[in-house]
Each structure stands twice: as C-alpha cells, then as structure tokens.
Amino acid sequence: MKKPIEIASVLLFSAALALPGTALSQTDPGVRPGAINGQAGATQSDPLPLPSVGSNSPTGVLEFFDNGLGRFQEQEVVSGGANNGLGPRFNFNSCSGCHAQPAVGGSGSANNPQFQVISQGIASGSTNTLPSFITAHGPTREARFPFFTNANGTPNTNAPNGGVEDLFTVSGRSDAGACNLQQPNFQQAQQNNNIIFRIPTPTFGSGLIENIDDSTLLANQAAQAGNNLGIGGAFNRNGNDGTIARFGWKAQNKSLLLFAGEAYNVEMGITNELFGQERPLPEEEQHAGLPASCLNLSGHGYPEDATNFTVASNSDQAAQNAQVPADIVLFAEFMRLLAPPVQSTSTPGGAQSISNGFALFKEIGCSTCHTPAIRSTQPSNITASLGNSTARAFSDFEIHHMGTKLADNVSQGGAGGDQFRSAPLWGLGQRIFFLHDGRTTNLLVAIEDHSSNGSEATQVEENFDSLSSGQRQDILNFLRSL
Amino acid sequence: MHVISQLARLSPVLASCMLLSAMVHGAPAGGPIPAGVILVKGAWPSATGSPLPLPEDGSIANNAYDSAYFGLAYPISRDWTQRYEGPPPSDSGYYVLAQIEPSNPSGTSRGRVLIAAQDMFFTLAPASNALELVNYYKDHLGDGYRVEGSPTTLSIANHDFVRLDYLSSAAGLHWHVLATEIRCHVVQFVFTGHSAEAMERLIQNINAVTLPDETRYPVCVKNYATAENLIERDDPVFTELRFNPVPVRIVIDREGKVKHVHFLSAFPEQARSISDALSRWRFKPYQSNGEPVEVETGLMFGRLPRPNISTPH
C-alpha cells in the first residue's frame, strides 16, 4: 500500500500547478490511494481474475490465468536461459515491466524500468545509450518515427513510416554472440521533430472488450449520431475480415492474441506463431534487413515462442494443460481473464462529488465517446463472466479525429495521423500517465489537450471550461474514482 | 477519362485537394517537421471534376460565416471568433462547419454557436428530413437532459426551421437547436450556454442569416444512382482491400455525365479508383418540368456504415 501513497503525493504536487485556461482552483486529485483496482485482495503482482475464473469455472481456467500471469512476468534473455529469444532489438525484457501500474497488466509505473535497462545489464552500456526521453520517473515509452529520412537525415514527408523504433539492442550482451547493431538515431529524430511516443495500454477487463459484438458497437454509434457536439467517429476495421478492431491506441488490433503476438515481436523482439520473423527496424527493412549475425540468436530456430508439444507429465491435469500453449496464447488468456477495475464510490472527494461528476461528465458530452457502458457482451464459450455482461469501459471503441494537439502523424489500419480510439477510462483513477504519449500526469492537461484544430472534442472540452470550478472538481473526482 | 487527365482540368485548389489526399502535404521537404500539423491522413475529403464549392469549404471572414456551397451567410458579432476549426466530415456525412464563440475567454457566459450539417444521404439516423432528424436527437438525449421545447417548426429568413430546446440539469447548460434543410443536408445551428437570456439573444440574431435560393443549385435527389437511371456503369477497381464506408456526392450534368465528385471520406487510392469509374458512368438526364437539369445525388461505396439494427434509446 505504500507505493500508491507516494505516487499520490507526487502527483498532488504536480497537479496543483496552475494551468492556463481551465484550471485555477480545481486540481487533479492524483492517483487514487487504497485497494489496487478497487479490488480487495488484489496486489501489484497478483491482479484479480474475473469472478468466474476465480471460482475456476470452467475447471482448469484458473490454472491458465495463473500460468499466463507467471509468463507475463518472465524476464527474457537472448539465449542460454529458461526464456530465450529477446531481441535483437527490444524496448524491455518482460511484459509486466511496462504493464505494471497499478498491477501487472496495467499501464506504466512511476518508476520507469526502461531507465534501468543499461544499469541492470539488460542492454550493454558499451553499445547502447539511454535515449534522453527515457527518464527515471517519466512514462514507459515506445518510440516511432512518423517519416523515413532523406539521405541527409532530414524527414521525407512523402514517405510515411510510423513503425516502432526499438530503444535498445542486444549487442554487447554475453548471450548475444557477434550481433552488432546500432540504436536508431533518436537524437537526430528529436532535432527534426520526427519522433512520437506511445505508452502501454492497460489490459484489465479487456476480455469483455474483446467479446462485444460488432452490431452492439454499431448500434451505439448510431445512437450517438444526434450529439450536437461536433462529434463524428468511425471504426478501425480489421484488414482481413472487415470486422471492428478495438485494441491499441488507434484500435488497430482485432484481438488480444494479435495484441500479444505483435507486442512480443515488436516490443521484445520475440518471434512467435503470429509473427514468425525477426523484425528489423523500418529503415533496416528497406535496406539489407537484419544481419545474419543477429538472427537465430537463441539457437533454437523460429519461432522463438512456440507451442510446447512436449511437457512434463503432471498429476495436476490443468497445470499440465496450461503448459502446452505458446507464451502469446497464455498472455492473451491472462489479459482476457483479468477482472475490470472497480470504481470507488467515495474516493476521492466523497460520494456526492463523484455522483455529481458523473452526471456532469455525461451532460457536457464526454460520454458521447467515453460511453460509460456497452451492453452487453456476446455469450462466452470461455468463462461465464465474459458473457452477457456489461463492459463499463467508458469507450465507444471508435476512432475520432483529435486535432493538431494530439496528432502523431502515424497511420495504423484505417486510422489516420490524428485519429485515436476513445481511450477506455476504467481504471483511470490509478493511472499515472495520460494520453497516448504519456505527456502528462495531470488530468486537466489531458482534458485541455482534447481541443485543437481538427478535433471532434473541442465542443465538449469547451463545455468543461464553461463549468464552475466546483463542477470541474466534481468531474476530476469522478474520473479519479474510476 | 482517367483521373490524371481530369486533374489537369481542375482549378489549382481542387487539384491540390485531390493530391493532398495522397497522404502528405504542407511540410517543406528536408526540414524539421512543423509542430501542430496533420500530415498523415486517413480517410479524408477530396473532390474531382468541375471545381464547385464544397460543404466543408465555408469560412469566417468579415464578421460572418459564409458557405458558398450552402448559400449561407451567418453574421457574427465583431468580438466573436472561431478558436478552432472543426474536424473533417465523418463517413456518415456529419460536418462541423463552424465553431463560434466570444474571442475573450471570459465571455463564455455569452454562449457558443456550433454550425453543423448532416448529409441526409448518409445519416445513421432513421430520418429523411429536419423534423425527423431533430426528433431523433430528442429521443436519444441521455439521462439528465430535460426537454424545454419539443421540436416545433418555424420560419426564419423565409426558410422552414425546426427548433428543439433542452437543458442539461447538472451542468446548467441550455441547448437550442435550429435546423433547416439545404441541398439534402440538415444544417443545424446549435446554441449552447448557461444563460437562458443570453441564449435567446443569440437565437434572435439568426434572423439576420442569409439563406439560399435553392433554385440556383442542382436538384438533390436521394438514390438517383439506381439501375433504372443508369445507362452505363463501370464498377471501380480497388487496389487495396479496405472496409471503410466511402460516401460520395456527385453532380450529374444535363447530358447524364458525372461532372463533379465529392468524397466526404475516402483513402486516396479509393478516391482515384472511384473517380476513374464514375467518369465512365452515364445516367438518364434528370427531368424537371420536361427539361433536363443537373442533379446532385449520393453514392455509398465500400462498406455500408450500418446494418439494419435497432439503436438503444
């Protein structure tokens, strides 16, 4: 319980700083103290599963959750260890390092583990330098270059890039052989304003999101058509079958399995049964690709993460079964079976303020995109809690034009450079960094950045501005209660 | 006729509009990326063919919002302004035309005006006119809103309008919607503010609005591009598999040729393929009083935005 209180005190200080425009006397209460995810019994390393999973229904599902939780926290190495395949490029060496706040499966924590990557020997300091945008208490980040560069290093705005530029290489590690790679030129990209950032999305309750039928989302979209707020919205559709994608900052990923497989490959450099080849940087891919000396570093061939066809016999059948799937399958199961955060009814600000804030949140138009509840999920063939349930995610899962303040000039699927998914707000009360790039820890800044040229949210943000200080405080208290 | 040759006939503005949809523009090659610009676009509006005004091309100047497409001039106070431009039109035909407010932030008590338009060819609402659309709005108001004035018809500047008034109780915000039909769009003036008196003064100002003589424009007809009116048709050949709705407005000339194509929302390669195909389409000329006249209609390519499903109230 100590950690959230420390975080809260830091954030209270930062939130109290005066802001232009909206904020004079109201303040972001900061990270909500108390039970993790609002759930009695949850700890940072042991987030709670869905109720039916907790009661092991169907039999064996809890073992899969626990096994997935364990694999989610495994620290990967390049070769010679129990968990091989890291690199040749990576952003971190475990899922839980980045998805950590307020518990495993969440978003970035107050202590950025990437800041320790070199000091802890995860990357060699002889071949890696810490990018300047990675700080001890700043957001956990991935970096992308919106554009490829010309021969002189300047951005070529006729050549969109947008792919992830991994922060570190395995070069120089004792388990990485002769692989010799250089990091991307982050300094040059920063000088040319050709770099954007993304922070980890929390995954609590994501099984409910995955199990919403498209027709439910389409009906919600139609119901919002008369919003009188300047809000349009569209869906990012999966390029293979045309159904609605819903995970990631731009709703670019269709499923949790895809989300897991891509992250394993892109963030940790581990090939798997969805992404079977080592991933060069976008600019490497346009030239010779990765050098042969950086391939098959684990020595076991590809994919580095695969189904375990042979597992040790175990009298506990469920435990034996859970050892068979590949890591990405168990990552997906873990995320799918995580319970959603529980809202506080009284903290911060008291029950009346939270209730007022929720009413205001709806009436000024926030709920048009941050739809409080999607009813209801499809019947579930996995576990009862996923089926016929309400996803109180505070999202319409549409992508919206968010204007010039938030645009990152990265296109993903059908989403353009200024379009983002309405970020689900459940669990917001215990998140530290906000917006896709983690630019702020202050909810007021996050709200203010919703209005700019080209944004669908300008009218709503200005409605927020028009409220009294007390009303705005009620909304902030409500948001931190989530 | 190919798009390239069509482009050559366009005004520089429209030509750049089309080329702009080819992903990037506006940044000097070789320099740092300017801050606060959207260079990488997804589905975006564009146009080809004869250079005609577009719904999204209105502007605020000389103390008025002017839209050549809608033939609309809405005077605004000297000390009011548009702080931020709106987003591009949605793939269901919703436009933010202007967002007007007092230039001094301390003047928020005077309220704000949102001018929006819904293309009735592509609306997600089960409505075919302004009254039905405004009733749909009323029926889908969320908890906490209280209707202060049910949709009623009135006349402003010799045009029929529908007015809806409602209040958001907790926020104390009054909302007044005045909607009228222009060129098969429902153009909406949405007044929002905390002071009922200030709102009423704003609403009275709308009597100074200039609205179009619609006989100047092509007749607009929903679903004109049906088999019974089409003489020749070539389906577009798409080069990429995409699943987004592509709403398109076209103007058909007196000879039945497509003279103007407006993509409300399309990826560049979709716009190219559709323009190329439409240049080969031939329609029966639309007849009015026995004479062929220009007609404006809508087409939806790509994925339909909404199946026939009920919407939650």
Side-chain angles (χ1 to χ4, degrees):
Chain A
M1 289 301 101
K2 187 179 176 187
K3 190 174 176 183
I5 293 169
E6 289 175 350
I7 294 164
S9 63
V10 170
L11 292 177
L12 273 171
F13 171 75
S14 62
L17 297 174
L19 288 169
T22 61
L24 290 175
S25 53
Q26 69 283 346
T27 56
D28 178 356
V31 174
R32 191 182 75 241
I36 285 177
N37 277 336
Q39 299 158 338
T43 68
Q44 197 281 332
S45 58
D46 277 306
L48 295 189
L50 292 160
S52 61
V53 177
S55 56
N56 198 27
S57 174
T59 302
V61 69
L62 184 58
E63 187 63 42
F64 274 67
F65 175 81
D66 288 339
N67 191 309
L69 171 60
R71 296 201 205 186
F72 207 82
Q73 298 175 89
E74 284 173 350
Q75 296 189 0
E76 306 288 334
V77 298
V78 180
S79 64
N83 306 294
N84 302 312
L86 182 71
R89 297 183 182 277
F90 63 96
N91 285 322
F92 200 62
N93 67 341
S94 73
C95 304
S96 61
C98 300
H99 293 275
Q101 170 68 24
V104 172
S107 187
S109 66
N111 296 311
N112 183 2
Q114 293 171 312
F115 189 72
Q116 307 289 332
V117 161
I118 293 175
S119 63
Q120 293 189 354
I122 301 169
S124 167
S126 63
T127 52
N128 288 267
T129 57
L130 195 64
S132 63
F133 50 83
I134 297 298
T135 58
H137 302 292
T140 301
R141 283 172 156 166
E142 67 169 26
R144 295 169 185 255
F145 297 167
F147 299 98
F148 288 105
T149 54
N150 299 306
N152 64 0
T154 57
N156 178 357
T157 53
N158 292 313
N161 175 354
V164 173
E165 304 282 336
D166 291 282
L167 305 186
F168 307 106
T169 80
V170 299
S171 302
R173 281 178 58 122
S174 60
D175 60 355
C179 176
N180 184 16
L181 293 173
Q182 290 189 328
Q183 292 167 283
N185 192 337
F186 293 118
Q187 187 177 11
Q188 181 185 67
Q190 286 179 290
Q191 287 168 350
N192 287 316
N193 194 27
N194 189 28
I195 187 168
I196 64 94
F197 306 109
R198 299 275 177 83
I199 64 171
T201 53
T203 64
F204 307 112
S206 52
L208 292 167
I209 296 171
E210 190 179 48
N211 203 34
I212 300 169
D213 187 71
D214 284 9
S215 64
T216 305
L217 296 175
L218 291 164
N220 181 65
Q221 182 192 37
Q224 306 294 349
N227 58 68
N228 292 322
L229 293 160
I231 297 170
F235 288 106
N236 199 348
R237 290 181 176 273
N238 178 37
N240 289 319
D241 66 354
T243 56
I244 295 172
R246 54 198 70 186
F247 295 107
W249 283 105
K250 299 207 175 201
Q252 72 273 18
N253 279 331
K254 170 66 187 168
S255 69
L256 291 168
L257 185 56
L258 194 60
F259 185 81
E262 183 189 322
Y264 216 21
N265 186 234
V266 172
E267 312 294 347
M268 296 167 69
I270 297 179
T271 56
N272 53 71
E273 289 166 343
L274 285 180
F275 295 86
Q277 284 72 45
E278 296 285 11
R279 176 183 176 273
L281 298 177
E283 57 271 26
E284 279 177 328
E285 194 271 339
Q286 292 202 326
H287 295 94
L290 287 162
S293 59
C294 294
L295 299 177
N296 195 23
L297 292 174
S298 73
H300 296 298
Y302 291 108
E304 290 151 330
D305 168 42
T307 303
N308 302 298
F309 297 111
T310 305
V311 297
S313 177
N314 190 330
S315 58
D316 183 341
Q317 186 64 50
Q320 182 175 327
N321 290 346
Q323 292 173 21
V324 174
D327 288 349
I328 59 169
V329 174
L330 269 294
F331 295 158
E333 288 296 0
F334 164 67
M335 294 187 285
R336 185 176 292 127
L337 302 175
L338 272 171
V342 176
Q343 183 184 4
S344 169
T345 56
S346 59
T347 305
Q352 188 60 55
S353 176
I354 291 170
S355 174
N356 291 346
F358 185 33
L360 291 163
F361 177 87
K362 290 187 287 187
E363 289 183 18
I364 66 171
C366 307
S367 63
T368 303
C369 303
H370 294 288
T371 309
I374 300 284
R375 299 184 181 86
S376 63
T377 60
Q378 304 172 124
S380 175
N381 191 30
I382 296 176
T383 189
S385 294
L386 286 176
N388 304 312
S389 299
T390 299
R392 301 185 190 281
F394 290 87
S395 176
D396 56 7
F397 303 102
E398 296 174 37
I399 49 174
H400 295 274
H401 292 282
M402 295 309 298
T404 51
K405 276 187 195 169
L406 291 177
D408 67 359
N409 283 316
V410 170
S411 176
Q412 290 182 280
D418 67 328
Q419 288 173 291
F420 291 89
R421 177 184 70 158
S422 306
L425 300 183
W426 55 8
L428 187 75
Q430 294 186 326
R431 286 184 57 187
I432 298 172
F433 300 103
F434 300 119
L435 301 174
H436 62 278
D437 50 10
R439 65 180 66 182
T440 182
T441 56
N442 190 327
L443 276 177
L444 282 163
V445 175
I447 293 168
E448 191 169 11
D449 281 2
H450 277 57
S451 64
S452 62
N453 276 322
S455 173
E456 295 178 32
T458 293
Q459 291 292 306
V460 174
E461 196 278 331
E462 294 192 349
N463 285 341
F464 178 82
D465 286 352
S466 79
L467 297 176
S468 70
S469 175
Q471 288 173 315
R472 291 196 290 259
Q473 187 65 57
D474 287 341
I475 291 181
L476 296 173
N477 289 343
F478 160 70
L479 290 171
R480 283 297 191 180
S481 77
L482 295 175
Chain B
M1 184 185 297
H2 288 282
V3 174
I4 300 294
S5 55
Q6 286 181 309
L7 279 172
R9 295 167 41 228
L10 300 180
S11 73
V13 172
L14 274 177
S16 67
C17 192
M18 183 65 194
L19 293 172
L20 161 166
S21 66
M23 201 61 107
V24 291
H25 75 120
I33 306 297
V37 295
I38 302 167
L39 298 172
V40 176
K41 301 182 176 182
W44 205 260
S46 60
T48 60
S50 299
L52 299 176
L54 303 174
E56 64 267 31
D57 285 348
S59 62
I60 293 176
N62 302 320
N63 303 319
Y65 165 75
D66 280 292
S67 166
Y69 178 87
F70 289 113
L72 170 69
Y74 176 69
I76 59 176
S77 298
R78 192 178 299 273
D79 60 344
W80 283 49
T81 188
Q82 174 165 259
R83 186 174 165 213
Y84 293 125
E85 294 175 357
S90 77
D91 62 18
S92 56
Y94 181 68
Y95 294 84
V96 174
L97 303 178
Q99 306 177 109
I100 308 165
E101 61 189 303
S103 49
N104 184 343
S106 64
T108 53
S109 61
R110 296 163 67 190
R112 288 177 285 113
V113 185
L114 164 69
I115 307 177
Q118 175 61 56
D119 187 325
M120 297 306 287
F121 293 159
F122 307 115
T123 178
L124 295 173
S128 59
N129 56 49
L131 182 60
E132 290 176 1
L133 188 67
V134 173
N135 267 306
Y136 183 82
Y137 293 170
K138 176 183 74 70
D139 293 342
H140 286 77
L141 289 175
D143 298 339
Y145 293 100
R146 190 176 79 229
V147 174
E148 296 188 305
S150 290
T152 54
T153 56
L154 67 161
S155 179
I156 297 171
N158 296 317
H159 267 63
D160 291 334
F161 272 74
V162 179
R163 176 170 173 169
L164 166 67
D165 305 314
Y166 56 97
L167 171 72
S168 45
S169 307
L173 276 171
H174 297 271
W175 307 72
H176 307 275
V177 180
L178 284 161
T180 190
E181 295 170 28
I182 305 175
R183 300 183 71 170
C184 294
H185 295 75
V186 172
V187 176
Q188 303 146 62
F189 297 81
V190 182
F191 303 89
T192 313
H194 291 278
S195 163
E197 294 74 22
M199 289 300 94
E200 205 52 51
R201 282 195 296 274
L202 268 181
I203 292 168
Q204 292 307 314
N205 286 345
I206 201 172
N207 288 311
V209 71
T210 302
L211 293 166
D213 170 7
E214 290 210 49
T215 60
R216 292 170 45 208
Y217 301 113
V219 176
C220 63
V221 178
K222 189 173 185 177
N223 297 329
Y224 186 70
T226 55
E228 64 186 81
N229 296 319
L230 265 166
I231 299 169
E232 292 178 41
R233 170 189 172 132
D234 258 353
D235 284 333
V237 178
F238 292 111
T239 54
E240 290 190 33
L241 181 63
R242 294 191 185 272
F243 296 94
N244 57 305
V246 183
V248 181
R249 274 221 172 202
I250 59 173
V251 177
I252 303 164
D253 68 15
R254 293 180 176 84
E255 296 175 348
K257 297 177 185 173
V258 176
K259 67 176 281 192
H260 174 77
V261 184
H262 176 216
F263 297 93
L264 283 70
S265 174
F267 287 92
E269 82 283 355
Q270 292 176 318
R272 282 192 289 271
S273 298
I274 293 168
S275 280
D276 189 42
L278 287 174
S279 69
R280 295 188 294 274
W281 286 27
R282 293 292 180 273
F283 291 85
K284 290 179 187 171
Y286 186 80
Q287 302 282 325
S288 177
N289 297 322
E291 295 291 325
V293 296
E294 291 187 346
V295 61
E296 184 174 20
T297 192
L299 289 161
M300 180 63 87
F301 292 90
R303 192 182 194 91
L304 292 176
R306 186 172 73 98
N308 285 326
I309 49 179
S310 61
T311 61
H313 281 223

